[in-house]
Structures are given as C-alpha cells and as structure tokens.
Amino acid sequence: MKRVSSSSSVLKMSPDNQPAAHIDSGSTVVFETMDCFSNHIQREDQLFSSVGWDLINPATGPVYINGAEPGDTLKIEVLDIVTAEKGVMTTAPGMGVLGEIVSETTRIIPIKEGKAIFNEKIQIHVNPMIGVIGTAPQKGEIPTGTPESHGGNMDCKRVVKGATLYLPVNVPGGLLSVGDLHAVMGDGEIVVCGLEIPGEVTLRVTVLKGQTLPLPMLAEGDSVMTIASAKTLDEAAQMATVNMHSFLCQELKMDIDEAGMLLSLLGDLKICQVVDPLMTARMEFPRWVLESYGYSLQ
Ligand code: CA
Ligand code: CA
C-alpha cells in the first residue's frame, strides 16, 4: 500500500504540482496529514496570528491515479481516518461568523477514549472528518483553503470513514490531495475551525470512465448528497439543490416536477460551512429512494 508523507504537501491545487506518488485505479493509499496550522500550534500561548498564511491548510499530495483522464470521475472510498490524541482550536478577531465578537484564543483539546475533553463538564464524541479533499483544476490554481467544483476545502462533516466521495478528473492523473482533518465539527464551522488535528487517511481510489454524476457527490450512511460551493450561501444552496434534482431526473429518470416534489418532501438542505472564501451547502437525499428505483451508485 502506498503511503504519502505529510512532508509532500501543497497549498494550491494545480496541474503544475509534481505528483508525490502514483497509484493504480482501485488501489489503496494512505495520506499522512498535518493539521490546518501545519502542526505549528502546540501550546495555548501560540495564537492564530503567529501562524503565517503560507502555513494554513496544507494538503498532502498530490497523488496521480494511473489511467485517470480529463472527463473521468474519481470514486474515493474513505476506508479509515485515524487522528492524533489532541487537537487545536483558535478564535481570532475578524475570523468567521463571530469575528466581530471573539478575541484571540487558542485551546489545545485532548481526546480520550473517543471523546474530546472540551472542559470539565463537556466531553464530545469525536466524528473524524476530512476538511480538504480535491483534485487539480484544469488550469490555473485553487488555494487549498477554497472549495469549488474540484472539491477542496468543502468542510463537509459527512466526509467520514465509510463515505464514498465522487470528484471530477480535470487533468491527467487527477492529482488528488487531502488534508485538514477535524476530530469533530458542526455544520457551519462557525469560528473557522473544527477540532483541527493531524492524522492519517486511508482511501481506495477508483477511476470511473466519464462523468454522469453532478459533482462533487457523496454517499454516506443512509444518504446521498450533492455538494456545491459559491460566493453566497444562497447560490450554494441553489446549486446543490439543482444538482440533486438533475441527478434524480437523469439517473432515476424521474419526471421534473415529481422530482421537485420529492426533494421538497425528503431532501434536507444543509450548510457545510460559511467561513471559507466560498460558502458550501449540501442537499441530502435518502438512499432508499434510489434503491426503490433499482439504482445504486457505482
Ligand atoms: Ca477547512
Ligand atoms: Ca480546518
């Protein structure tokens, strides 16, 4: 099994990045990841402003998937996420939804027996997730802190162990990079961080020829999801919804109006995050409806 060290990391997703490893379609790869501060915050007297922006949101990779060609889809199965035993959170003025209210603080939060020890009264069950996972754009470069149609910093809390994510291949090899693990995070990511933590992610990556799904798309638990990022949350919500609607019409051959009604009944429109350069929303839809149409994702 290939293992990619966090010493091979990028701050931008770009076709110009040199691959850190090559893997075959259908094989398994381990990404070792730093936290979003490049592991620079180790004590509570180290504040967010002490970390330069050139160290924020490193993503390990990229990995070149042999045989992946522009126009294909990467099927990415999250086989495992292992995190370190302590994580970091920061607040800083001007950052996030409460940026006008909070001051600058750092908290180191230990994890014991699957629970983050937030304070004497509060222990939180961890739910490790991948904040940044994306492929290279066709041209130019996208900072690892930005989510878009290539994936990237989607901060979707349902990208967990057992999830299957579908991302576009825009360049030969796809150039997949992964980083920014959170031991736990709520929808919204209010102060611009989850419980930021280094770790290891094990993925099985398979090339699907062509693109028929509206990407990025995610399957996890009892749900399938379309994920969309845009300048405003309104636009992101609209895009995620339209994408799920077109999935239902194209893949399940549902009638346009019927699919709209069904989304109104069973679709849950949710926020992934509202603090990155673009906002991210997801439309969650129950998998059992797909099954009742005899449809299953590849
Ligand atoms: Ca993030
Ligand atoms: Ca983060």
Side-chain angles (χ1 to χ4, degrees), residues 44 60 62 119 144 156 206-207 216 227 238 298:
E44 295 193 336
T60 301
N119 63 28
T144 47
C156 173
T206 307
V207 177
I227 302 172
Q238 173 87 12
Q298 248 189 300

Side-chain angles (χ1 to χ4, degrees), residues 212-232:
T212 56
L213 302 174
L215 303 175
M217 203 160 167
L218 179 69
E220 198 276 312
D222 294 333
S223 312
V224 293
M225 290 158 261
T226 43
I227 302 172
S229 301
K231 211 163 176 56
T232 67

